[in-house]
Amino acid sequence: MNTGNCDFSIMEQQFSEGIQQITNKLRGLESLESEKGCLLSKLGEIKDKFIEIESIATSFYLNCYLSAFTDKYADLSLCVQRLSARKHGALIAVERRDPIHSIIQRGTDIGAALTPELLEAIFYPGNPLHDGAAIVHGNHIVSAANVLPLTNKVIIGKKLGTRHRAALGLSEQSDALVLVVSEETGRVSFALDGKLYPIATAYPVY
């Protein structure tokens, strides 16, 4: 997969620091008292650190995947962080090599340069265009309120909403990268190659 000209030293440093912190916490388990509460607390901290490292790496790779197909990847990152903070649900499909017009139900043509402000306006609650997906091609927002194909995939232990099922569905039928912001939790994910990945919006990589 094309990751552009990404500087992997940034992620390597963050990864190394995170692993060192986990290693120190694991060593600390040897001197724990036998109380279950203490042990569970430490294990919870270690689990959270692993999740944090995974999300940082995912955020980095996301921008690498995007940078090969749009110069506006930093604007997309900023946009989803703002939407996440406000818990405004969003679905943004970035078209890459595969044309997707034949596998979606076309919505409203936009044909404007991509800016965080325009995307945020599209997904503002109550806006007629906020339901459905915005399609991004290159540095432009092509259209909004598009209907994407839904996945039939069942993920054990997770209940997928319509946006997440649509993101997975399009990523199963094309190489598009689809960003999702949950309006219930504000959490951000992206779908690629039929898989869903969480993004740590607190650790943007530009």
Side-chain angles (χ1 to χ4, degrees), residues 62 80 164 178-182 187-191 196-199:
L62 168 66
V80 295
H164 291 83
V178 191
L179 291 154
V180 189
V181 181
S182 169
R187 292 175 182 168
V188 183
S189 307
F190 75 87
L196 199 61
Y197 303 92
I199 301 173

Side-chain angles (χ1 to χ4, degrees), residues 97-152:
R97 294 186 184 87
D98 297 341
I100 62 174
H101 62 274
S102 64
I103 55 178
I104 68 171
Q105 293 181 38
R106 188 67 175 260
T108 301
D109 290 342
I110 301 294
L114 189 160
T115 66
E117 293 78 13
L118 180 53
L119 277 173
E120 290 165 44
I122 288 172
F123 291 108
Y124 191 85
N127 186 321
L129 301 178
H130 89 283
D131 283 331
I135 304 298
V136 170
H137 182 83
N139 298 331
H140 291 79
I141 302 171
V142 177
S143 56
N146 299 278
V147 179
L148 308 186
L150 301 181
T151 185
N152 293 317

Side-chain angles (χ1 to χ4, degrees), residues 1-183:
M1 190 171 294
N2 190 341
T3 55
N5 297 317
C6 294
D7 181 4
F8 283 89
S9 64
I10 300 172
M11 186 182 68
E12 287 173 357
Q13 180 181 351
Q14 293 176 322
F15 185 81
S16 177
E17 291 173 355
I19 291 297
Q20 186 59 54
Q21 292 174 20
I22 290 172
T23 301
N24 292 338
K25 289 181 181 295
L26 287 171
R27 286 175 180 159
L29 293 179
E30 299 174 1
S31 60
L32 281 176
E33 297 177 1
S34 60
E35 295 181 17
K36 292 183 179 179
C38 293
L39 177 61
L40 291 175
S41 175
K42 291 294 182 182
L43 289 174
E45 291 175 7
I46 293 170
K47 178 182 177 181
D48 289 343
K49 179 55 68 173
F50 270 118
I51 293 173
E52 179 182 313
I53 292 173
E54 179 187 21
S55 291
I56 291 171
T58 301
S59 300
F60 179 83
Y61 279 108
L62 168 66
N63 282 349
C64 284
Y65 297 147
L66 287 175
S67 66
F69 295 92
T70 175
D71 296 329
K72 299 288 188 176
Y73 62 93
D75 287 335
L76 282 167
S77 179
L78 176 61
C79 174
V80 295
Q81 288 180 70
R82 290 176 177 174
L83 291 168
S84 171
R86 297 167 186 152
K87 291 187 178 179
H88 290 178
L91 188 61
I92 304 168
V94 181
E95 192 173 27
R96 305 206 305 160
R97 294 186 184 87
D98 297 341
I100 62 174
H101 62 274
S102 64
I103 55 178
I104 68 171
Q105 293 181 38
R106 188 67 175 260
T108 301
D109 290 342
I110 301 294
L114 189 160
T115 66
E117 293 78 13
L118 180 53
L119 277 173
E120 290 165 44
I122 288 172
F123 291 108
Y124 191 85
N127 186 321
L129 301 178
H130 89 283
D131 283 331
I135 304 298
V136 170
H137 182 83
N139 298 331
H140 291 79
I141 302 171
V142 177
S143 56
N146 299 278
V147 179
L148 308 186
L150 301 181
T151 185
N152 293 317
K153 182 180 292 185
V154 176
I155 300 179
I156 298 175
K158 290 186 178 181
K159 182 180 179 181
L160 296 178
T162 302
R163 284 191 180 93
H164 291 83
R165 290 175 59 211
L168 282 172
L170 183 61
S171 75
E172 289 169 348
Q173 298 186 36
S174 72
D175 69 347
L177 188 152
V178 191
L179 291 154
V180 189
V181 181
S182 169
E183 65 182 13

